[in-house]
Amino acid sequence: MEVLRPTLININGRIYRKNVIKEQVYQDEDDEDDFSYSDPVAAQCTDEPCDTLNMEQTEKGFRYAMDVPSVLYKYIIGKKGETRKRLESETRTSVSIPKQGVEGQIVITGQQRGAVASAVTRIEVLMESFRRKQPFTHFLSFALNHPQIQERFLKFKEEVLEQCSEDSGVDSSIFQNPAKLHLTVGTLALLNDMEVSKACELLQQCQEQLQDITGGKPLPMEVVGLEYMNDDPAMVDVLYAKVQAKDGSDRLQVMADQLVEHFVAAGLMVREWDRVKLHATVMNTLFRKDPSAEDKGGSGRPNMKDREAFDARGVLKKFGTFRFGEFQLNAIHLSQRFSTDCSGYYTSSGLVQLS
């Protein structure tokens, strides 16, 4: 079935087929996959990379320079240079890579235009594969750390500890930092300053579209109630507060989905769900050992071996409809992971206003 229905990868509007040819194990790296481009992938995959590359013609043939974050160089070089050597041999090109840690461009040269295009294609697909293995560095967020919400959250924490502290796993260490209450729209692995700038530009491009949804005004929101995502309320790792537009509309959901769509199309975000799951973490067992730990917006259950679940049945019974308050949503942030600004919230690399 993998041969008949191969994984398709969309990079900059071009469709590639992923063929797993060989795996190599590095001493301190994950497995490496080789990928190849295939013309007859499917009827909808008729893009021709040669025609889309802005390639330079030289006296000796053709040249193409591509921006690649330095953290990905090692995947293109391979163990003892084997990946680059094989790439150069199979495409009859020369691949020049900057020194490790030096941000710059990878330059591919060759006598034939098609050969250079083939090398570019292979490098792009390799980059896409290993980019997905990088930890995320930034995330699009809606800040929920408004004064009233923080005050009510601290009241929630106080009452839960008073009434549910005897429940298994419930203690003060698993509560969110009130200054960092937020909704995660989507996560991004931005690997150098150029990619951070590109993400900021993309966010700015969304401003007019988002303002059309809100009518150019802040969106009145309310945070009411709790939910969990696993099957057993007696064994919960993350407890969420529910967030919605005060008028009952789906405008927050529409904004979140359109933001993800825009960033996925630009290749800076990987789609994890058909729709963004809108929820705000209030209790997380990851915080037991690391107060700065952050979840990925509900995608999976990381570090399960290091987590001690808690019994949320009492919390849900007594505080399942708890009102955390109302606020005016007026900005979308490109937040930097593991950071803190002067307000206690995450440092913003960029933001757009809704009014």
Side-chain angles (χ1 to χ4, degrees), residues 119-131:
V120 171
T121 294
R122 295 189 185 201
I123 291 173
E124 285 185 328
V125 180
L126 273 173
M127 286 171 52
E128 178 67 13
S129 172
F130 287 109
R131 173 183 291 278

Side-chain angles (χ1 to χ4, degrees), residues 6 8 15-19 35-42 45-47 49 121:
L8 302 183
I15 306 297
Y16 300 91
R17 181 177 67 190
K18 174 181 176 182
N19 294 327
F35 304 90
S36 61
Y37 174 77
S38 178
D39 288 321
V41 176
C45 305
T46 57
D47 198 359
T121 294

Side-chain angles (χ1 to χ4, degrees), residues 71-105:
V71 71
L72 298 181
Y73 292 168
K74 58 187 175 184
Y75 300 119
I76 300 167
I77 296 171
K79 186 178 181 180
K80 297 181 180 180
E82 292 176 0
T83 301
R84 175 165 60 177
K85 291 176 184 176
R86 185 169 64 251
L87 175 65
E88 291 177 326
S89 174
E90 293 178 356
T91 61
R92 296 182 180 180
T93 60
S94 176
V95 179
S96 176
I97 302 175
K99 292 181 179 180
Q100 188 64 44
V102 177
E103 296 294 342
Q105 292 183 316

